Amino acid sequence: MAAKRVLHLLVIYCFICWLLTRESGVSFPIGILIEVLLVITILIAIVTVKKEVWKNLNTDLFYLFLFWFIISILEVFNPYGASTIGWLKEIRSAAEYPLLIVMVSSVVFTTKRDLDVFLIIVVVFSTLAALDGIKQLHIGLSKGDQAFLQYGGSTHLLWGRLRVFSFYTEAAQFGASQAHICLVALILALGPVKKKVRIILLICSALMFYGMLISGTRGALFALVPGAFVAIVLSKRFKILFLGGTIAVLFLCFLKFTTIGNGNYQIYRFRSALDLNDPSLNVRLHSQRILKDYMEKIPFGGGLGVTGSNGMGYNQDKFLSKVQPDSYWVKVWVMYGIVGFIIWISMMMYILGKCCAIVWRLNDEDLKVKAIALTSGFAGILMCSYGNEVINNMPSSIIIYISLSFMYLMPKFEQKIKEDNLLKA
């Protein structure tokens, strides 16, 4: 029980850690506190969790992330000569957190009730984030928000318009996370729940959809649409598949081929995501063309921490630090090379496929709906990470990796339900 409480605390902390930093004005080591909470949870689990429960780690999910962690460790010897300090800082989000989160959640969150509590925490704090974002836009910014814009967050003011970031790291993370949990809440609302719960979930989903819009994050669209497509396919309901597909196509056509609503800044920003002539898109494509020529010489990449914020901080003498990836897919390619990128994307697609297979084999309606919600959310965040660094940032990172752990435990949850029903009979 103690391990579960610490892990719940960690999930909550990953939502509000930047809020605590901004509003307190104190710069504390966010990453180190995440690791401290993970280590505490692991130590408690070692003492309290029964030996047979540790068999939950005997899955391809755990071994794949262990394999990726080993590859990431070996990157410290990358001949490109990237900074060791940059490697140390980057490996945390790239490989350490995924491995530890999957490991600890697989042995601590082991019941259907744990799944329900996790979903409640995620939906509640995502809704609070939406409300805080609405407050930022319509009421005003706090002192901490203003300081953030003044010292490092200048890109969140475009032509005098605020890109809402709520209490997240920045607007891109906020928008993508809102799209992710908006979809999760909507799917849960369509499941076998009480009318009161359905209404609450629909309200939360609507608030998060608005939160996604006001973030001004165009990439969030690519968390919502692919995730919704996966959810519709997994439902195996052909009427819903046809209706949902039609709605999605009409929505995209509305954005692509009309100018309706352009007077609204949020709609205009989202519409530009489908504009092939958008200056921001062309800058990214130009950067990728530059990287393509350079990366052909280094098939194993430039090493962890050679690009992005750690590249600017610890590898300023390297060419790769001067080209912003603007995408987690591109970042993996730059750091690990084409060899590492193929391994990583193959891992992700295999895990997604395995999750889909688990959903198809579930018979319990309640579990099936929750499994569809988690799987479609993972698919959405994975696709969205092509446009922004999302899957490697909090809170999306911890939500996704705990979700994957739950997916691999779903068959055991269903077996337990069957055994309980037999006992009652």
Side-chain angles (χ1 to χ4, degrees), residues 52-53 55-59 61 102-112 114-115 355 358 362 367 371 374 402-416:
E52 58 267 23
V53 177
K55 293 179 181 178
N56 289 346
L57 297 182
N58 189 25
T59 63
L61 179 70
V102 165
M103 180 177 74
V104 73
S105 58
S106 295
V107 298
V108 172
F109 289 159
T110 56
T111 67
K112 184 176 177 291
D114 294 330
L115 171 61
C355 289
I358 290 171
L362 290 173
L367 275 181
L374 297 181
I402 291 179
S403 295
L404 294 179
S405 297
F406 274 124
M407 284 304 305
Y408 272 68
L409 290 171
M410 288 287 185
K412 292 187 177 182
F413 294 167
E414 184 170 63
Q415 183 61 34
K416 183 68 166 59

Side-chain angles (χ1 to χ4, degrees), residues 71 96 222 276 285 316 332 355 373 410:
I71 289 176
E96 179 192 342
F222 300 101
L276 296 179
L285 293 177
Q316 294 180 358
V332 171
C355 289
M410 288 287 185

Side-chain angles (χ1 to χ4, degrees), residues 288-329:
Q288 290 176 24
R289 284 192 291 270
I290 294 173
L291 288 171
K292 180 182 178 182
D293 294 335
Y294 193 85
M295 291 300 297
E296 288 179 354
K297 308 168 189 174
I298 45 174
F300 297 100
L304 271 65
V306 77
T307 188
S309 59
N310 286 321
M312 291 185 290
Y314 303 100
N315 291 287
Q316 294 180 358
D317 60 320
K318 304 297 182 185
F319 169 77
L320 292 175
S321 70
K322 297 174 175 60
V323 183
Q324 288 305 305
D326 293 318
S327 159
Y328 192 62
W329 291 33

